[in-house]
Amino acid sequence: MNHKESSMQKPSAWITATAMRATMAVRARLAEDSWHEAQQRGVRQYVILGAGLDTYAYRAPLAPDTRVFEVDLPAMTQWKRECLRAADIPEPLSVSYVSTDLTTGALSEDLQQAGFDPALPACFCWLGVSIYLKPDQVMLTLRDIADCAPGSSIVFDYCVHRRHLSEQECAGLDFVAGTLAAQGEHLHSSFEPPLLQHMLHHHGYRHIEDFDASALQTLYGAPLSGIFRLMRATV
């Protein structure tokens, strides 16, 4: 690679990385805003899928009748709880830790064993996970949530299929995929927005909102990557 090629690629990579950081901040904001709106409608169950090191339950005041379910792989759940103990952060009584594997179809059963009430609506947050799953595995989880009580909702992000991206966005997607691969992680799914909406309607979601970069920038004022979108769907 000559100097000219290198100097052309660095700004593109920097722009992509900057937009991705903004996207991660905005997706968390939309998820928490949606949960706050759900609470105003009387929803008291909040499920964070792929919780990882999510901090919501440790920094937000929770009503006594609220339940937060942090869902992740057993090893990740154990590591997070060890990190909490090391940082001397108490585990709130309102939080239940749910170990499950989203590729197995056991989500509903594992949630109920942790005290989740299927007769009551819930608000689900699912961020930074779907890209690591195959399309049928993503739909498996979305179908599970569609079977929840009416009024349940989910906010999740997904990778947009490259045929719906600009040339610059395709280059950004290749950069992101290459970065993930170098870390031993791989992008396994992408979706065409109209088809994904159709599939969600088919599985029982009544109201669907698809937030592209323009819509999110209007809401939150941050320049974002168009590679990923956020979707909010209500049963």
Side-chain angles (χ1 to χ4, degrees):
M1 179 184 298
N2 62 39
H3 177 74
K4 182 178 180 181
E5 290 173 333
S6 176
S7 64
M8 289 176 65
Q9 288 188 13
K10 285 181 180 178
S12 177
W14 182 85
I15 291 170
T16 298
T18 300
M20 289 302 300
R21 285 193 292 270
T23 298
M24 287 188 284
V26 166
R27 71 185 187 187
R29 174 67 184 275
L30 179 66
E32 292 186 14
D33 284 351
S34 298
W35 162 234
H36 295 155
E37 293 171 9
Q39 289 182 88
Q40 294 175 4
R41 300 194 305 270
V43 177
R44 291 295 180 265
Q45 298 186 111
Y46 187 37
V47 183
I48 307 173
L49 300 176
L53 295 177
D54 188 276
T55 63
Y56 175 79
Y58 313 93
R59 57 179 166 78
L62 299 173
D65 58 344
T66 297
R67 299 296 304 170
V68 177
F69 299 87
E70 293 198 355
V71 181
D72 217 317
L73 293 168
M76 177 59 75
T77 299
Q78 179 181 346
W79 178 59
K80 178 173 187 173
R81 300 181 78 175
E82 290 172 354
C83 289
L84 290 170
R85 287 191 291 270
D88 198 27
I89 298 175
E91 297 179 357
L93 295 176
S94 56
V95 176
S96 295
Y97 301 94
V98 185
S99 295
T100 196
D101 185 339
L102 295 178
T103 68
T104 65
L107 175 61
S108 296
E109 180 180 348
D110 290 338
L111 276 173
Q112 290 180 43
Q113 289 181 355
F116 180 85
D117 188 342
L120 298 177
C123 179
F124 288 78
C125 164
W126 194 23
L127 304 176
V129 178
S130 70
I131 63 172
Y132 302 112
L133 300 175
K134 295 178 180 179
D136 60 331
Q137 295 169 340
V138 174
M139 295 311 303
L140 181 65
T141 296
L142 293 173
R143 285 198 301 270
D144 267 354
I145 296 169
D147 289 334
C148 289
S152 296
S153 62
I154 180 171
V155 171
F156 68 98
D157 58 351
Y158 68 96
C159 180
V160 178
H161 195 285
R162 63 188 310 117
R163 70 167 52 100
H164 290 266
L165 300 177
S166 67
E167 183 177 349
Q168 183 178 3
E169 289 169 337
C170 284
L173 175 58
D174 291 338
F175 170 76
V176 171
T179 301
L180 291 175
Q183 298 171 354
E185 301 175 325
H186 299 278
L187 194 157
H188 286 301
S189 69
S190 62
F191 294 91
E192 298 185 53
L195 180 57
L196 180 56
Q197 292 181 49
H198 173 77
M199 294 166 72
L200 290 177
H201 278 301
H202 175 74
H203 290 303
Y205 289 93
R206 295 180 296 107
H207 184 61
I208 298 170
E209 300 169 273
D210 189 31
F211 298 89
D212 61 11
S214 176
L216 291 169
Q217 184 168 357
T218 298
L219 282 173
Y220 298 114
L224 305 172
S225 167
I227 301 169
F228 299 97
R229 291 192 185 187
L230 282 161
M231 191 167 282
R232 180 164 58 193
T234 305
V235 179

